[in-house]
């Protein structure tokens, strides 16, 4: 008697954590992966023939600003292309945020992401704004979408914890309201000392409220911006490393090698996570250079070689910092391959892992992530035969399965070559 499932995937190429590919059938029941085998003698009301296609765990977006998404050009375009003009434009735009405005844009962006295979998202919410609209909006969205996408919200003091009289209090209020993590921006505090103090305060708050940490850290080309070492010191002293992320750290790309080597040794002891945002880093940084012009990316290849956990973010979708962007994580990894020159086969595969497994580690998703019997049925099917193929062609996502439900599918467009006939 053949067994029966709610949903069956037939003959896909299942990507394993070690990179192996196995051709399998997958049976899903009640939102859970019930069986994985070379052939399942079974039936299901919904059977998807995915022969030769890549079955991957969902993409993980480690760093995005959903509160500012879809506001590009409001009230004006960022003509200098710098981080700082972006912050000024956003400061104008955020004066008239409403809950509906934030929720509508965040939800629209999350849908775009989910349709491109992203089922786990960490978003920053600007909390240096008197009414905490961005934060409250994203917390409501987190609840509203939880049946199909997992959203984590980091309280992010965009204008600095000590950049305004109320900012520190607003940050703490955000944690009381339920933010998943605490953020910061030490390189934008008024002085170096304020920057150091801000990192220490972030660790105190995270311990007090038992939250994750994700700091916008050294997002500048200034080789004297050295808050990453402060993050490392706090992580070593508190033992919080795995719960801590250093986002951007672009100045690391400008440090001299002697300092970078010493720092790498400290970082290895911390077990913190790194989040690079190659689309944004390559466009925002290097703006004060003539030629040669820096790439403005953190040392992704070296961190990966040292065994540190590196994951990736889109950072922006159509906002004051970046007018492009669709939420597609393959675009992010593709850009990383270029900017970090990670073109070796093992390096390209590692870039794919940065938008899947490594992101899951950064977000602290734990045992729920991955495609194994007994785990929640979250997976995607790509029109690609392996990781390299997916990256090279930025492959179409054929099916997105979340909590056992098929939530998005694509009919792959087929381009036909039509030779000239005379
Ligand atoms: N805010 C910030 O400080 N840095 C960024 N890259 C973005 C917002 C997008
Ligand atoms: Fe960011």
């Amino acid at each position: 008697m053949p067994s029966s499932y709610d949903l069956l995937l037939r003959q896909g190429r299942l990507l394993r954590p070690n990179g192996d590919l196995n051709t399998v059938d997958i049976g899903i029941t009640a939102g859970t992966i019930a069986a994985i085998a070379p052939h399942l003698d079974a039936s299901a009301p919904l059977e998807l023939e995915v022969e030769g296609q890549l079955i991957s765990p969902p993409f993980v977006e480690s760093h995005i600003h959903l509160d500012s998404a879809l506001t590009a050009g409001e009230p004006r375009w960022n003509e200098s292309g710098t981080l700082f003009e972006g912050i000024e434009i956003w400061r104008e735009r955020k004066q008239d945020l409403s809950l509906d405005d934030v929720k509508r844009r965040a939800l629209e962006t999350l849908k775009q992401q989910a349709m491109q295979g992203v089922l786990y998202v960490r978003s920053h919410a600007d909390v240096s704004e008197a009414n905490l609209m961005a934060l409250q909006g994203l917390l409501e969205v987190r609840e509203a979408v939880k049946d199909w996408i997992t959203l984590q919200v980091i309280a992010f003091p965009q204008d600095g914890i000590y950049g305004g009289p109320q900012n520190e209090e607003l940050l703490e209020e955000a944690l009381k309201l339920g933010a998943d993590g605490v953020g910061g921006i030490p390189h934008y505090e008024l002085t170096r000392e304020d920057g150091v103090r801000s990192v220490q305060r972030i660790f105190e708050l995270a311990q007090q409220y038992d939250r994750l940490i994700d700091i916008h850290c050294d997002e500048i080309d200034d080789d004297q911006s050295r808050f990453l070492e402060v993050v490392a010191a706090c992580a070593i002293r508190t033992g919080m490393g795995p719960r801590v992320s250093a986002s951007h750290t672009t100045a690391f790309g400008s440090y001299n090698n002697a300092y970078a080597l010493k720092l790498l040794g400290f970082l290895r002891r911390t077990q913190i996570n790194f989040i690079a945002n190659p689309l944004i880093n390559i466009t925002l940084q290097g703006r004060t250079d003539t030629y040669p012009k820096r790439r403005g990316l953190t040392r992704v290849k070296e961190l990966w070689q040292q065994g540190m956990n590196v994951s990736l973010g889109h950072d922006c979708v159509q906002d004051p910092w970046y007018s492009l962007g669709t939420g597609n994580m393959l675009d992010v990894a593709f850009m990383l391959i270029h900017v970090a020159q990670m073109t070796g086969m093992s390096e390209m595969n590692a870039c794919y892992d940065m938008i899947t497994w490594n992101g899951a580690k950064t977000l602290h998703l734990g045992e729920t992530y991955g495609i194994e019997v007994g785990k929640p049925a979250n997976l995607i099917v790509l029109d690609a035969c392996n990781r390299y193929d997916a990256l090279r062609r930025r492959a179409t996502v054929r099916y997105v399965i979340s909590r056992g439900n098929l939530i998005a599918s694509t009919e792959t467009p087929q381009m036909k070559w039509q030779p000239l006939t005379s």
Side-chain angles (χ1 to χ4, degrees):
M1 173 76 185
S3 23
S4 132
Y5 300 101
D6 297 342
L7 198 163
L8 263 169
L9 291 145
R10 295 276 193 203
Q11 297 301 290
R13 287 161 65 85
L14 175 61
L15 176 65
R16 304 286 192 180
N18 66 1
D20 284 355
L21 291 163
N22 304 130
T23 296
V24 295
D25 290 351
I26 298 180
I28 292 169
T29 296
T32 301
I33 296 174
I36 302 176
H39 288 280
L40 289 171
D41 181 16
S43 64
L46 182 58
E47 298 193 19
L48 303 174
E49 297 295 338
V50 294
E51 189 175 345
Q53 302 202 316
L54 188 65
I55 301 180
S56 167
F59 295 133
V60 180
E61 168 58 84
S62 293
H63 185 128
I64 193 167
H65 297 254
L66 290 175
D67 54 355
S68 56
L70 312 182
T71 65
E74 301 172 11
R76 59 197 168 87
W77 294 91
N78 184 338
E79 298 295 345
S80 68
T82 58
L83 168 65
F84 304 109
E85 186 174 347
I87 293 175
E88 282 162 23
I89 296 171
W90 174 240
R91 193 173 293 138
E92 291 169 38
R93 178 60 172 81
K94 74 187 177 190
Q95 300 311 320
D96 47 52
L97 282 184
S98 69
L99 270 187
D100 274 356
D101 173 31
V102 173
K103 285 163 62 179
R104 182 183 51 76
R105 289 181 291 95
L107 192 59
E108 177 58 31
T109 309
L110 286 165
K111 272 192 211 158
Q112 282 184 32
Q113 293 174 286
M115 287 193 286
Q116 298 175 93
V118 179
L119 292 183
Y120 304 92
V121 175
R122 173 179 285 182
S123 176
H124 294 261
D126 185 0
V127 296
S128 34
E129 170 262 308
N131 304 312
L132 292 179
M133 279 298 157
L135 179 93
Q136 297 193 59
L138 292 192
L139 291 181
E140 286 187 26
V141 170
R142 179 180 72 185
E143 181 62 22
V145 301
K146 69 177 193 313
D147 290 338
W148 52 274
I149 195 166
T150 302
L151 175 61
Q152 246 177 35
V153 179
I154 306 291
F156 172 50
Q158 175 70 82
D159 297 336
I161 297 179
Y162 304 112
Q166 294 185 333
N167 294 5
E168 185 178 8
E169 208 177 304
L170 285 165
L171 178 61
E172 185 162 2
E173 180 61 20
L175 300 179
K176 289 183 182 152
L177 288 172
D180 299 287
V182 51
I185 184 163
H187 55 278
Y188 192 58
E189 296 288 351
L190 292 169
T191 64
R192 196 191 64 83
E193 288 75 10
D194 282 359
V196 172
R197 192 156 67 99
S198 78
V199 172
Q200 290 162 344
R201 183 73 186 126
I202 290 161
F203 274 80
E204 271 171 24
L205 286 168
Q207 288 188 300
Q208 186 182 342
Y209 290 90
D210 190 25
R211 303 297 155 86
L212 300 169
I213 291 176
D214 189 334
I215 302 176
H216 281 65
C217 189
D218 302 317
E219 188 189 8
I220 189 165
D221 288 319
D222 177 10
D223 63 347
Q224 294 301 314
S225 186
R226 295 182 172 186
F227 298 104
L228 181 55
E229 68 180 21
V230 183
V231 172
C234 290
I236 290 170
R237 288 177 189 141
T238 60
M240 286 184 70
R243 292 170 63 82
V244 176
S245 299
S247 278
H248 295 295
T249 63
T250 57
F252 202 171
S254 290
Y255 296 157
N256 66 71
N257 282 340
Y259 176 69
L261 181 74
K262 178 195 77 170
L263 183 60
L264 265 175
F266 292 167
L267 292 170
R268 268 214 316 269
R269 286 166 57 191
T270 66
Q271 294 178 44
I272 67 169
N273 308 287
F274 285 83
I275 302 170
N277 298 285
L279 295 167
I280 302 313
N281 301 148
I282 194 67
T283 47
L284 290 184
Q285 303 305 314
R287 291 281 178 167
T288 57
D289 291 357
T290 53
Y291 290 94
K293 213 185 262 289
R294 281 172 286 184
R295 294 169 188 233
L297 191 80
T298 194
R299 299 193 184 202
V300 172
K301 192 193 288 196
E302 291 74 14
L303 289 165
W304 167 68
Q305 285 168 341
Q306 295 288 325
M308 308 280 316
N309 188 52
V310 183
S311 64
L312 306 181
H314 214 291
D315 204 6
C316 307
V317 174
Q318 294 183 283
D319 74 6
W321 295 274
Y322 188 66
S323 54
L324 308 174
T326 64
N328 185 339
M329 293 310 294
L330 291 170
D331 286 348
V332 178
F334 189 76
M335 180 61 80
L336 177 69
I337 291 170
H338 292 77
V339 181
Q341 299 185 320
M342 294 184 68
T343 50
M345 184 52 73
S346 63
E347 293 172 346
M348 287 192 286
N349 284 333
C351 292
Y352 187 93
D353 295 346
M354 290 179 195
I355 56 172
T356 49
W357 316 102
N358 299 11
K361 193 169 173 192
T362 296
L363 267 61
H364 235 68
L365 297 179
E367 289 305 306
T368 59
Y369 187 81
I371 304 175
E372 283 169 46
V373 172
K375 291 195 177 189
N378 298 314
L379 58 86
I380 60 177
V381 179
L382 290 157
D383 182 29
C385 60
N386 57 35
R387 289 175 288 180
Y388 158 59
D389 189 35
L391 286 165
R392 186 182 73 84
R393 296 188 296 114
R394 277 144 295 147
T396 303
V397 176
R398 291 293 313 281
Y399 298 112
V400 181
I401 293 169
S402 175
R403 288 68 164 155
N405 301 306
L406 178 64
I407 63 164
S409 56
T410 316
E411 293 299 324
T412 309
Q414 286 293 330
M415 179 86 68
K416 255 166 73 185
W417 175 242
Q418 304 214 337
L420 294 173
T421 48
S422 51

